[in-house]
Amino acid sequence: MAAASTSAVRAELAGALDASRLAREAAERELHRSIAVRSRAAETLERTAERRGIEESERVRLRGEYAAADRVVAEQRAAVEKARQFERAAAIVADAFETEATSASPLAAALLALVGSRTKRARPRRAAA
């Protein structure tokens, strides 16, 4: 006998798909924001390149700001890729479950057991809260 119902697994998978989509969208927004910050830092740095009378310490500071903004963009790109991979994985698992849910497949049984074990662990926490 399965530890959880097929509908419970479907609900868990739907929740995972929604959460992964929201995480990806948030990561993409942060990436776009960080690209804009880096662009502003680059424009400021470029405006000072030909300007006379600017101290070298100011140029060093502006280069540092650009480098920091560029690092943030790289980190955000990695976060977006990770979120996309998780979203794809959640979709693959959900699709596989839907395909296998009506059979006696090991995948469907494993997902049913997983959701059942998570449900059992979550109930005592909710009661304590």
Side-chain angles (χ1 to χ4, degrees):
M1 183 167 133
S5 70
T6 302
S7 61
V9 174
R10 282 189 179 106
E12 288 279 337
L13 290 172
L17 284 169
D18 288 343
S20 62
R21 179 185 48 80
L22 292 172
R24 177 193 43 81
E25 290 170 352
E28 287 172 344
R29 282 191 300 276
E30 285 302 310
L31 174 60
H32 292 294
R33 187 193 62 74
S34 65
I35 289 171
V37 168
R38 183 185 65 182
S39 294
R40 286 191 296 273
E43 290 168 4
T44 302
L45 183 59
E46 287 175 12
R47 281 195 309 266
T48 65
E50 299 293 324
R51 204 166 80 197
R52 293 181 186 192
I54 189 167
E55 293 183 17
E56 185 57 28
S57 62
E58 179 65 7
R59 287 190 177 136
V60 167
R61 184 187 67 78
L62 293 172
R63 283 192 295 269
E65 285 180 8
Y66 176 81
D70 192 49
R71 279 190 299 276
V72 170
V73 168
E75 291 166 0
Q76 292 300 325
R77 280 198 173 120
V80 166
E81 183 54 32
K82 183 177 177 182
R84 285 178 180 159
Q85 288 174 352
F86 186 80
E87 185 177 23
R88 282 190 298 269
I92 288 168
V93 170
D95 289 345
F97 181 75
E98 283 304 316
T99 301
E100 301 293 323
T102 56
S103 69
S105 136
L107 171 63
L111 287 171
L112 286 167
L114 175 65
V115 171
S117 67
R118 288 187 66 217
T119 304
K120 288 175 190 173
R121 284 184 299 187
R123 284 184 188 144
R125 284 187 215 145
R126 289 181 190 148

CSV table of all heavy atoms in Angstrom, one decimal, residues 4-41:
chain,number,residue,atom,x,y,z
A,4,ALA,N,1.3,7.5,0.4
A,4,ALA,CA,0.5,8.8,0.1
A,4,ALA,C,-0.4,8.5,-1.1
A,4,ALA,O,-0.1,7.6,-1.9
A,4,ALA,CB,1.4,9.9,-0.1
A,5,SER,N,-1.4,9.3,-1.3
A,5,SER,CA,-2.2,9.1,-2.4
A,5,SER,C,-1.6,9.8,-3.6
A,5,SER,O,-0.8,10.7,-3.6
A,5,SER,CB,-3.6,9.8,-2.1
A,5,SER,OG,-3.5,11.2,-2.1
A,6,THR,N,-2.1,9.3,-4.8
A,6,THR,CA,-1.7,9.9,-6.0
A,6,THR,C,-2.0,11.4,-6.1
A,6,THR,O,-1.2,12.2,-6.6
A,6,THR,CB,-2.3,9.1,-7.2
A,6,THR,OG1,-2.0,7.8,-7.1
A,6,THR,CG2,-1.9,9.7,-8.5
A,7,SER,N,-3.2,11.8,-5.6
A,7,SER,CA,-3.5,13.2,-5.6
A,7,SER,C,-2.6,14.0,-4.7
A,7,SER,O,-2.3,15.2,-5.1
A,7,SER,CB,-5.0,13.4,-5.2
A,7,SER,OG,-5.2,12.9,-3.9
A,8,ALA,N,-2.1,13.5,-3.6
A,8,ALA,CA,-1.2,14.2,-2.8
A,8,ALA,C,0.1,14.4,-3.5
A,8,ALA,O,0.7,15.5,-3.4
A,8,ALA,CB,-1.0,13.4,-1.5
A,9,VAL,N,0.6,13.4,-4.2
A,9,VAL,CA,1.8,13.5,-5.0
A,9,VAL,C,1.6,14.6,-6.1
A,9,VAL,O,2.5,15.4,-6.3
A,9,VAL,CB,2.3,12.2,-5.6
A,9,VAL,CG1,3.5,12.4,-6.5
A,9,VAL,CG2,2.6,11.2,-4.4
A,10,ARG,N,0.5,14.5,-6.7
A,10,ARG,CA,0.2,15.5,-7.8
A,10,ARG,C,0.2,16.9,-7.2
A,10,ARG,O,0.8,17.9,-7.8
A,10,ARG,CB,-1.1,15.3,-8.4
A,10,ARG,CG,-1.1,14.1,-9.4
A,10,ARG,CD,-2.4,14.1,-10.3
A,10,ARG,NE,-2.3,13.0,-11.2
A,10,ARG,CZ,-2.9,11.8,-11.1
A,10,ARG,NH1,-3.7,11.6,-10.1
A,10,ARG,NH2,-2.8,10.9,-12.0
A,11,ALA,N,-0.3,17.1,-6.0
A,11,ALA,CA,-0.4,18.4,-5.4
A,11,ALA,C,1.1,18.8,-5.0
A,11,ALA,O,1.4,20.0,-5.2
A,11,ALA,CB,-1.2,18.4,-4.1
A,12,GLU,N,1.9,17.9,-4.5
A,12,GLU,CA,3.2,18.2,-4.1
A,12,GLU,C,4.0,18.6,-5.4
A,12,GLU,O,4.8,19.6,-5.4
A,12,GLU,CB,3.9,17.0,-3.4
A,12,GLU,CG,3.4,16.8,-2.0
A,12,GLU,CD,4.1,17.7,-1.0
A,12,GLU,OE1,5.2,18.2,-1.3
A,12,GLU,OE2,3.5,17.9,0.0
A,13,LEU,N,3.9,17.9,-6.4
A,13,LEU,CA,4.6,18.2,-7.7
A,13,LEU,C,4.1,19.5,-8.3
A,13,LEU,O,4.9,20.3,-8.8
A,13,LEU,CB,4.4,17.0,-8.7
A,13,LEU,CG,5.1,15.7,-8.3
A,13,LEU,CD1,4.7,14.6,-9.3
A,13,LEU,CD2,6.6,15.9,-8.3
A,14,ALA,N,2.8,19.8,-8.2
A,14,ALA,CA,2.3,21.1,-8.7
A,14,ALA,C,2.9,22.2,-7.9
A,14,ALA,O,3.3,23.2,-8.4
A,14,ALA,CB,0.8,21.1,-8.7
A,15,GLY,N,3.0,22.0,-6.6
A,15,GLY,CA,3.6,23.0,-5.7
A,15,GLY,C,5.1,23.2,-6.0
A,15,GLY,O,5.6,24.3,-6.1
A,16,ALA,N,5.8,22.1,-6.3
A,16,ALA,CA,7.2,22.2,-6.7
A,16,ALA,C,7.4,22.9,-8.0
A,16,ALA,O,8.3,23.7,-8.2
A,16,ALA,CB,7.8,20.8,-6.7
A,17,LEU,N,6.5,22.6,-8.9
A,17,LEU,CA,6.6,23.3,-10.2
A,17,LEU,C,6.3,24.8,-10.1
A,17,LEU,O,7.0,25.6,-10.6
A,17,LEU,CB,5.6,22.7,-11.2
A,17,LEU,CG,6.0,21.4,-11.8
A,17,LEU,CD1,4.8,20.8,-12.6
A,17,LEU,CD2,7.1,21.5,-12.7
A,18,ASP,N,5.3,25.2,-9.3
A,18,ASP,CA,5.0,26.6,-9.1
A,18,ASP,C,6.2,27.3,-8.4
A,18,ASP,O,6.6,28.4,-8.8
A,18,ASP,CB,3.7,26.8,-8.2
A,18,ASP,CG,2.5,26.4,-9.0
A,18,ASP,OD1,2.5,26.4,-10.3
A,18,ASP,OD2,1.4,26.2,-8.4
A,19,ALA,N,6.7,26.7,-7.3
A,19,ALA,CA,7.8,27.2,-6.6
A,19,ALA,C,9.1,27.4,-7.5
A,19,ALA,O,9.7,28.4,-7.4
A,19,ALA,CB,8.1,26.4,-5.4
A,20,SER,N,9.3,26.4,-8.3
A,20,SER,CA,10.5,26.5,-9.2
A,20,SER,C,10.3,27.6,-10.2
A,20,SER,O,11.3,28.3,-10.6
A,20,SER,CB,10.8,25.1,-9.8
A,20,SER,OG,9.8,24.7,-10.6
A,21,ARG,N,9.1,27.7,-10.7
A,21,ARG,CA,8.9,28.8,-11.7
A,21,ARG,C,9.0,30.2,-11.1
A,21,ARG,O,9.7,31.1,-11.6
A,21,ARG,CB,7.4,28.7,-12.3
A,21,ARG,CG,7.1,29.8,-13.3
A,21,ARG,CD,5.6,29.7,-13.7
A,21,ARG,NE,4.7,29.6,-12.7
A,21,ARG,CZ,4.2,30.6,-11.9
A,21,ARG,NH1,4.7,31.8,-12.1
A,21,ARG,NH2,3.4,30.4,-11.0
A,22,LEU,N,8.5,30.3,-9.9
A,22,LEU,CA,8.6,31.6,-9.1
A,22,LEU,C,10.1,31.9,-8.8
A,22,LEU,O,10.5,33.1,-8.9
A,22,LEU,CB,7.8,31.6,-7.9
A,22,LEU,CG,6.3,31.6,-8.1
A,22,LEU,CD1,5.6,31.4,-6.7
A,22,LEU,CD2,5.8,32.9,-8.8
A,23,ALA,N,10.8,30.9,-8.4
A,23,ALA,CA,12.3,31.1,-8.1
A,23,ALA,C,13.0,31.5,-9.4
A,23,ALA,O,13.9,32.4,-9.3
A,23,ALA,CB,12.9,29.8,-7.6
A,24,ARG,N,12.7,30.9,-10.5
A,24,ARG,CA,13.4,31.2,-11.8
A,24,ARG,C,13.0,32.7,-12.2
A,24,ARG,O,13.9,33.4,-12.5
A,24,ARG,CB,13.0,30.3,-12.9
A,24,ARG,CG,13.6,30.7,-14.3
A,24,ARG,CD,13.0,30.0,-15.4
A,24,ARG,NE,11.6,29.8,-15.5
A,24,ARG,CZ,10.7,30.8,-15.9
A,24,ARG,NH1,11.1,32.0,-16.2
A,24,ARG,NH2,9.4,30.6,-15.9
A,25,GLU,N,11.8,33.0,-12.1
A,25,GLU,CA,11.4,34.4,-12.4
A,25,GLU,C,12.0,35.4,-11.5
A,25,GLU,O,12.5,36.5,-12.0
A,25,GLU,CB,9.8,34.5,-12.3
A,25,GLU,CG,9.1,33.8,-13.4
A,25,GLU,CD,7.6,33.7,-13.2
A,25,GLU,OE1,7.1,34.1,-12.2
A,25,GLU,OE2,6.9,33.2,-14.2
A,26,ALA,N,12.1,35.1,-10.2
A,26,ALA,CA,12.8,36.1,-9.3
A,26,ALA,C,14.3,36.2,-9.7
A,26,ALA,O,14.9,37.3,-9.7
A,26,ALA,CB,12.6,35.6,-7.9
A,27,ALA,N,14.9,35.0,-10.0
A,27,ALA,CA,16.3,35.0,-10.4
A,27,ALA,C,16.5,35.8,-11.6
A,27,ALA,O,17.5,36.6,-11.8
A,27,ALA,CB,16.9,33.6,-10.5
A,28,GLU,N,15.6,35.7,-12.6
A,28,GLU,CA,15.8,36.5,-13.8
A,28,GLU,C,15.6,38.0,-13.6
A,28,GLU,O,16.3,38.8,-14.2
A,28,GLU,CB,14.7,36.0,-14.9
A,28,GLU,CG,15.1,34.6,-15.4
A,28,GLU,CD,14.0,34.0,-16.3
A,28,GLU,OE1,12.8,34.5,-16.3
A,28,GLU,OE2,14.3,33.1,-17.0
A,29,ARG,N,14.7,38.3,-12.7
A,29,ARG,CA,14.5,39.8,-12.4
A,29,ARG,C,15.8,40.3,-11.7
A,29,ARG,O,16.2,41.4,-12.1
A,29,ARG,CB,13.3,40.0,-11.4
A,29,ARG,CG,12.0,39.9,-12.1
A,29,ARG,CD,10.9,40.4,-11.2
A,29,ARG,NE,10.7,39.6,-10.0
A,29,ARG,CZ,10.0,38.5,-9.9
A,29,ARG,NH1,9.4,38.0,-11.0
A,29,ARG,NH2,10.0,37.8,-8.8
A,30,GLU,N,16.4,39.5,-10.8
A,30,GLU,CA,17.6,40.0,-10.2
A,30,GLU,C,18.8,40.1,-11.2
A,30,GLU,O,19.6,41.0,-11.1
A,30,GLU,CB,18.0,39.0,-9.0
A,30,GLU,CG,17.1,39.2,-7.8
A,30,GLU,CD,17.2,40.6,-7.3
A,30,GLU,OE1,18.3,41.2,-7.1
A,30,GLU,OE2,16.1,41.2,-7.1
A,31,LEU,N,18.8,39.2,-12.1
A,31,LEU,CA,19.8,39.2,-13.2
A,31,LEU,C,19.7,40.5,-14.0
A,31,LEU,O,20.6,41.2,-14.2
A,31,LEU,CB,19.7,38.0,-14.1
A,31,LEU,CG,20.7,38.1,-15.3
A,31,LEU,CD1,22.1,38.2,-14.9
A,31,LEU,CD2,20.4,36.9,-16.2
A,32,HIS,N,18.4,40.8,-14.4
A,32,HIS,CA,18.2,42.1,-15.2
A,32,HIS,C,18.6,43.3,-14.4
A,32,HIS,O,19.2,44.2,-14.9
A,32,HIS,CB,16.7,42.2,-15.6
A,32,HIS,CG,16.4,41.1,-16.7
A,32,HIS,ND1,16.9,41.1,-17.9
A,32,HIS,CD2,15.6,40.1,-16.6
A,32,HIS,CE1,16.4,40.0,-18.6
A,32,HIS,NE2,15.6,39.4,-17.8
A,33,ARG,N,18.3,43.3,-13.1
A,33,ARG,CA,18.6,44.4,-12.2
A,33,ARG,C,20.1,44.6,-12.1
A,33,ARG,O,20.7,45.7,-12.2
A,33,ARG,CB,18.0,44.2,-10.8
A,33,ARG,CG,18.2,45.5,-9.9
A,33,ARG,CD,17.8,45.2,-8.5
A,33,ARG,NE,18.7,44.2,-7.9
A,33,ARG,CZ,19.9,44.4,-7.5
A,33,ARG,NH1,20.5,45.5,-7.7
A,33,ARG,NH2,20.6,43.4,-7.0
A,34,SER,N,20.8,43.4,-11.9
A,34,SER,CA,22.3,43.5,-11.8
A,34,SER,C,23.0,43.9,-13.1
A,34,SER,O,24.0,44.6,-13.1
A,34,SER,CB,22.8,42.2,-11.3
A,34,SER,OG,22.6,41.1,-12.2
A,35,ILE,N,22.4,43.5,-14.2
A,35,ILE,CA,22.9,44.0,-15.5
A,35,ILE,C,22.8,45.5,-15.6
A,35,ILE,O,23.7,46.2,-16.1
A,35,ILE,CB,22.3,43.2,-16.7
A,35,ILE,CG1,22.7,41.8,-16.7
A,35,ILE,CG2,22.6,43.9,-18.0
A,35,ILE,CD1,22.0,40.9,-17.7
A,36,ALA,N,21.6,46.0,-15.2
A,36,ALA,CA,21.4,47.5,-15.3
A,36,ALA,C,22.4,48.2,-14.4
A,36,ALA,O,23.0,49.3,-14.8
A,36,ALA,CB,20.0,47.8,-14.9
A,37,VAL,N,22.7,47.7,-13.2
A,37,VAL,CA,23.6,48.3,-12.3
A,37,VAL,C,25.0,48.3,-12.9
A,37,VAL,O,25.8,49.3,-12.9
A,37,VAL,CB,23.6,47.6,-10.9
A,37,VAL,CG1,24.8,48.0,-10.0
A,37,VAL,CG2,22.3,47.9,-10.2
A,38,ARG,N,25.4,47.2,-13.5
A,38,ARG,CA,26.7,47.1,-14.1
A,38,ARG,C,26.8,48.0,-15.3
A,38,ARG,O,27.9,48.7,-15.5
A,38,ARG,CB,27.0,45.6,-14.6
A,38,ARG,CG,28.3,45.4,-15.2
A,38,ARG,CD,28.5,44.1,-15.8
A,38,ARG,NE,27.6,43.9,-16.9
A,38,ARG,CZ,27.6,42.7,-17.6
A,38,ARG,NH1,28.3,41.7,-17.3
A,38,ARG,NH2,26.7,42.6,-18.6
A,39,SER,N,25.7,48.2,-16.1
A,39,SER,CA,25.7,49.1,-17.2
A,39,SER,C,26.0,50.5,-16.7
A,39,SER,O,26.7,51.3,-17.4
A,39,SER,CB,24.4,49.0,-18.0
A,39,SER,OG,24.3,47.8,-18.6
A,40,ARG,N,25.3,50.9,-15.6
A,40,ARG,CA,25.5,52.3,-15.1
A,40,ARG,C,26.9,52.5,-14.6
A,40,ARG,O,27.5,53.5,-14.8
A,40,ARG,CB,24.5,52.5,-14.0
A,40,ARG,CG,23.1,52.8,-14.5
A,40,ARG,CD,22.2,53.3,-13.4
A,40,ARG,NE,22.0,52.4,-12.3
A,40,ARG,CZ,21.0,51.4,-12.3
A,40,ARG,NH1,20.2,51.3,-13.3
A,40,ARG,NH2,20.9,50.6,-11.2
A,41,ALA,N,27.5,51.4,-14.0
A,41,ALA,CA,28.9,51.5,-13.5
A,41,ALA,C,29.8,51.7,-14.7
A,41,ALA,O,30.8,52.4,-14.7
A,41,ALA,CB,29.2,50.3,-12.7
